[in-house]
Amino acid sequence: MIRDTAAQDRALAPATLPLWKRPAARRAALIALPLVLGLWGLSGWLSAERGVNAERLRIAEVTRGTLVRDAVVDGRVVAAVSPTLYAPSAGTVSLRIQAGATVKTGEVLLAIDSPELKSELSREQATLASLDAEVGRQRIEAEKQRQLSRRTLDEAEIALNARRRDLERTERAHRMGALAEIEVLRAQDAVKSAEIVREHALRGVDLESRSVGFDLATREQALQRQRLAVQELERRIDALHLRAPIDGQVGTVSVIDRAVVAANTPLVTLVDLSRLQAEIEVPEAYADDVGLGLQVSVRLGQNEAPGRVIAVSPEVVASRVRVRVEFEGGQPEGLRQNQRLSARLLFESKPDVLIVPRGPFVEAQGGRHAWVMEGDIAVRREIRLGAQSVGAVEILEGAAPGDRIVIAGTDLFGDAERVVVR
């Protein structure tokens, strides 16, 4: 019989190991840890009021950078100089150009035939000829009156000299005793009477000369007025040939050939293509921020051109304010009248601020609340927004750099304070 090794074996007391080194404890910890983590996550999910799929949301990170406060508006290309020619008088139009034609200053664009104006000119010319003849007759009559008054003065001079000679003879005869003293006195009275007649004749010459001068001046002024009337009619008839006031292009022709038009009817509009500007319509909410010299970035198709505000309309039409923008650094090539464009108004630049891309959450919550991501939970938080631009908004309070904010899709959250984002 073979003996076994039982006689060689002896019992040993079991060793006492730390709990974390025991295999059973390790297996229990490995099983319990996921359960604890799951329960902790489940508690967060259970505390949320609703859940939303992440694909239906837009989430952006809060960063620190420079915010340019701006606004994008629509507009069109307009000519800085775009005169419209109107009919100076009623008549029949004869066109000499077509829309799109290039014209030079002084070139005749169209003519208007006005029989009424021509007839009026003929009447005024006849009146002018009559007045001219009347003035000629008045000059002759004035000269005749001056001659008569001078003759009267000359006769008075001759009569006075004759009376003075009679007085000398009478005085010599009286000294010799041939005549009585009464004869001397009579001769002296005759001399004084002749002097009075001469004085009146002299004054008459002056008065007559002034009188005929006034009459002649009145007739000459009437003649001058008639000449001016004729010149004005000639000018109006010459203005019936409408000429281009600028070098440019015919934009629109508002009438057809041989059409009868009334006075002040718009006929032709010219466009100076060398001086084009942008006319934009700014919403009334931005009107107070728009001033002369404001920088503007004008987008024309795929190209952008810098500009500045040169004029702001003083009135609001349909909640819009019209603003004129002049291109800087030269006018872009290929512009056309009434071409559509968009413009970006650059109000101000704020460096080193907290910014987040703009989204519907700004309007949806009035800028007072936002949902900030905490893991997979979107938590509603009070915020305060500052300046806003087309693409970003400034956050003054309620967020920090690195926070992730739901900027679109918050309409799915309703009034929930916590939302699970799956």
Side-chain angles (χ1 to χ4, degrees), residues 57-77:
L57 306 177
R58 280 182 57 204
I59 302 174
E61 183 178 347
V62 178
T63 59
R64 186 172 292 277
T66 300
L67 175 69
V68 178
R69 191 166 70 89
D70 57 2
V72 176
V73 296
D74 295 327
R76 62 190 180 98
V77 176

Side-chain angles (χ1 to χ4, degrees), residues 91-261:
T92 304
V93 176
S94 296
L95 291 178
R96 300 185 183 179
I97 46 86
Q98 298 295 330
T102 300
V103 296
K104 297 294 183 179
T105 302
E107 182 178 345
V108 177
L109 305 180
L110 54 85
I112 299 177
D113 182 20
S114 178
E116 294 82 2
L117 206 56
K118 292 180 180 179
S119 177
E120 185 178 356
L121 175 61
S122 298
R123 291 195 302 269
E124 295 298 334
Q125 287 175 337
T127 303
L128 175 62
S130 176
L131 286 176
D132 194 12
E134 185 67 24
V135 169
R137 288 193 297 271
Q138 185 64 31
R139 288 195 180 101
I140 296 174
E141 187 66 24
E143 187 62 26
K144 289 173 61 177
Q145 293 296 328
R146 291 191 184 97
Q147 293 296 333
L148 288 175
S149 60
R150 288 196 189 98
R151 187 181 69 179
T152 302
L153 176 60
D154 292 341
E155 291 175 351
E157 290 281 357
I158 294 172
L160 176 60
N161 291 332
R163 296 297 181 270
R164 286 174 177 172
R165 288 193 296 271
D166 290 343
L167 176 60
E168 291 176 358
R169 288 193 297 269
T170 302
E171 288 177 344
R172 285 197 301 269
H174 173 67
R175 285 195 298 271
M176 295 173 62
L179 291 176
E181 184 178 0
I182 188 63
E183 297 298 331
V184 175
L185 296 177
R186 287 176 182 172
Q188 291 176 349
D189 292 340
V191 170
K192 291 180 179 180
S193 177
E195 289 177 348
I196 292 173
V197 171
R198 175 186 174 278
E199 184 68 24
H200 282 286
L202 183 61
R203 293 179 180 178
V205 170
D206 180 61
L207 293 175
E208 188 67 25
S209 178
R210 291 165 63 185
S211 176
V212 296
F214 288 146
D215 291 341
L216 180 60
T218 300
R219 298 294 176 86
E220 287 178 344
Q221 288 176 359
L223 176 63
Q224 183 62 22
R225 285 196 301 271
Q226 189 61 29
R227 282 181 181 149
L228 294 176
V230 171
Q231 291 176 3
E232 175 62 17
L233 285 172
E234 290 174 346
R235 184 198 65 80
R236 291 176 60 185
I237 290 179
D238 182 68
L240 294 177
H241 294 78
L242 276 73
R243 295 175 171 84
I246 60 171
D247 292 343
Q249 189 175 31
V250 178
T252 58
V253 179
S254 304
V255 294
I256 60 176
D257 191 31
R258 308 310 300 171
V260 178
V261 297

Side-chain angles (χ1 to χ4, degrees), residues 382-399:
E382 290 188 359
I383 62 171
R384 186 162 68 91
L385 301 182
Q388 303 181 18
S389 69
V390 175
V393 294
E394 177 189 9
I395 298 181
L396 300 176
E397 296 178 0

